[in-house]
Amino acid sequence: MITTDICIIGAGPVGLFAVFEAGLLKMRCHLIDALPQVGGQLSEIYPQKPIYDIPGYPAINAQTLVDNLMEQIAPFNPGFTLGERVEQLDRQPDGSYIITTSDGTSVHCQVVVIAGGLGCFEPRKPDIINLERFEGKGVSYMVKNPEQLRDRRVVLAGGGDSALDWTIFLADVAQEVTLVHRSDTFRGAPDSAEKVFHLANQGRVNLVLQSTITSINGNGHLQEVSITAKDKSITVLPTDHLIPLFGLTPKLGPIADWGLTIDKSAISVNTADYSTNVERIYAIGDINTYPGKLKLILCGFHEAALMCQSAFRYVHPDQKLSFKYTTVNGVPTF
């Protein structure tokens, strides 16, 4: 039996930062994640993707952000159970919980924090003829190693932040970059959209708007995509890689059976402290929902900070929330 103060389900960036905030309040954390490594979506789906909205960093590589967070929380010595999925939650007579994983690992904690991002996720696949036939043969739903795309012809499809960010990044890597979007406006950040339009005006990327990819073909490997415009005209574009970026389909898994209030595959929370309707269970990051919710990493960081202030009363019921510390070689010392 592993004993800790807070058990964090999900070792993505928000879960990792929660360890730091908890550590400042002298609360111990243990993290559980179904993935075999920390970092969540950042490490699993787009480790080389640049992130532009982390304070203090004009741009930071996704994996670098994860590495920095791990360095930041190292002084607090969190525990990790990786490659195991949370299966069971049992409330104890004193209000604490025992969490059991798919491999039988048990964690006893005073507070449960769900920071599972989108939960168990899989990419949304657009309706494109032959799409699955070329998966792994030119079709992929994420960019793990952009160097594999160097000097190649790449077509991206989508209108959100990922499509815009990768278009900007790959403009300096690929031989040819084409972004196909069904509308003439984007759902992503206006600044990113402006950068893509600027690259298109410079001739550094091809921007195909009000169009959709309807079919793909090749001989053993992807060789061309067929693009249908709003006026029904069809253009066949030679390419080496197609990357559809239409987001992820969230699945909560066993968490959905814990009696939590669920709204469209997300957990409803109280914005005062990001608590759920079940006592001692909190939800932070992309997995929660509330009026005005923005699915940004920095918003998850804010939620983690307020959550820890609230969780303190369960971990240290006889103490007031006040503390003093100094630093020794840059490490907080209480």
Side-chain angles (χ1 to χ4, degrees):
M1 177 78 69
I2 297 169
T3 301
T4 191
D5 295 324
I6 299 176
C7 184
I8 301 173
I9 302 171
V14 173
L16 294 177
F17 186 70
V19 174
F20 175 77
E21 290 294 326
L24 292 179
L25 300 176
K26 302 202 75 172
M27 296 187 291
R28 296 167 298 146
C29 293
H30 190 88
L31 299 92
I32 302 175
D33 202 300
L35 296 175
Q37 73 282 321
V38 301
Q41 295 177 50
L42 297 191
S43 296
E44 179 69 8
I45 299 178
Y46 39 73
Q48 301 304 317
K49 180 178 181 292
I51 301 174
Y52 300 105
D53 58 0
I54 302 300
Y57 291 95
I60 185 170
N61 173 285
Q63 187 59 52
T64 300
L65 175 59
V66 173
D67 295 341
N68 288 355
L69 286 165
M70 288 294 289
E71 181 179 353
Q72 184 181 31
I73 67 176
F76 301 114
N77 297 313
F80 292 92
T81 296
L82 302 175
E84 300 181 28
R85 189 174 80 161
V86 169
E87 294 286 351
Q88 189 172 335
L89 177 73
D90 296 302
R91 182 158 186 158
Q92 304 304 297
D94 64 353
S96 63
Y97 289 96
I98 292 178
I99 291 175
T100 306
T101 74
S102 54
D103 286 7
T105 302
S106 295
V107 179
H108 181 221
C109 59
Q110 298 300 317
V111 172
V112 176
V113 176
I114 304 171
L118 294 174
C120 302
F121 50 85
E122 58 185 34
R124 291 191 178 99
K125 299 181 181 181
D127 186 14
I128 298 176
I129 297 173
N130 291 332
L131 183 68
E132 295 187 353
R133 173 184 164 193
F134 288 98
E135 289 178 349
K137 302 174 183 177
V139 171
S140 57
Y141 303 98
M142 61 192 74
V143 182
K144 286 194 173 183
N145 183 5
E147 280 302 311
Q148 294 179 346
L149 303 177
R150 183 167 293 280
D151 300 327
R152 307 288 282 176
R153 298 169 298 178
V154 180
V155 175
L156 301 105
D161 285 312
S162 290
L164 292 171
D165 290 347
W166 277 121
T167 298
I168 296 167
F169 184 87
L170 292 174
D172 294 323
V173 175
Q175 172 188 326
E176 181 179 84
V177 178
T178 301
L179 175 59
V180 181
H181 181 39
R182 63 185 178 184
S183 177
D184 55 6
T185 59
F186 291 96
R187 302 184 307 278
D191 181 68
S192 298
E194 183 178 342
K195 289 178 180 176
V196 168
F197 281 116
H198 182 64
L199 288 170
N201 289 335
Q202 291 181 320
R204 295 177 59 195
V205 302
N206 304 316
L207 196 53
V208 183
L209 302 177
Q210 295 189 321
S211 302
T212 58
I213 299 173
T214 49
S215 67
I216 59 177
N217 286 290
N219 183 14
H221 192 278
L222 178 67
Q223 292 176 313
E224 61 184 30
V225 300
S226 295
I227 303 171
T228 301
K230 189 175 182 180
D231 63 5
K232 305 302 181 183
S233 62
I234 298 176
T235 301
V236 177
L237 181 68
T239 191
D240 303 306
H241 298 274
L242 169 63
I243 308 171
L245 296 168
F246 292 94
L248 302 169
T249 301
K251 295 182 179 179
L252 291 176
I255 292 174
D257 301 322
W258 290 0
L260 303 168
T261 299
I262 306 296
D263 181 12
K264 297 178 181 178
S265 297
I267 301 171
S268 296
V269 294
N270 180 346
T271 53
D273 58 4
Y274 302 97
S275 58
T276 69
N277 61 303
V278 179
E279 189 179 17
R280 301 195 187 206
I281 299 182
Y282 298 80
I284 57 177
D286 287 354
I287 204 164
N288 75 14
T289 185
Y290 51 84
K293 169 71 178 182
L294 291 176
K295 292 192 175 185
L296 301 175
I297 295 174
L298 62 90
C299 292
F301 290 167
H302 157 80
E303 294 164 10
L306 292 188
M307 174 277 297
C308 286
Q309 300 286 312
S310 176
F312 182 87
R313 70 184 188 273
Y314 296 118
V315 176
H316 300 298
D318 299 325
Q319 298 182 28
K320 291 183 178 180
L321 186 57
S322 63
F323 59 97
K324 296 180 180 179
Y325 70 91
T326 57
T327 59
V328 177
N329 297 324
V331 177
T333 302
F334 294 88

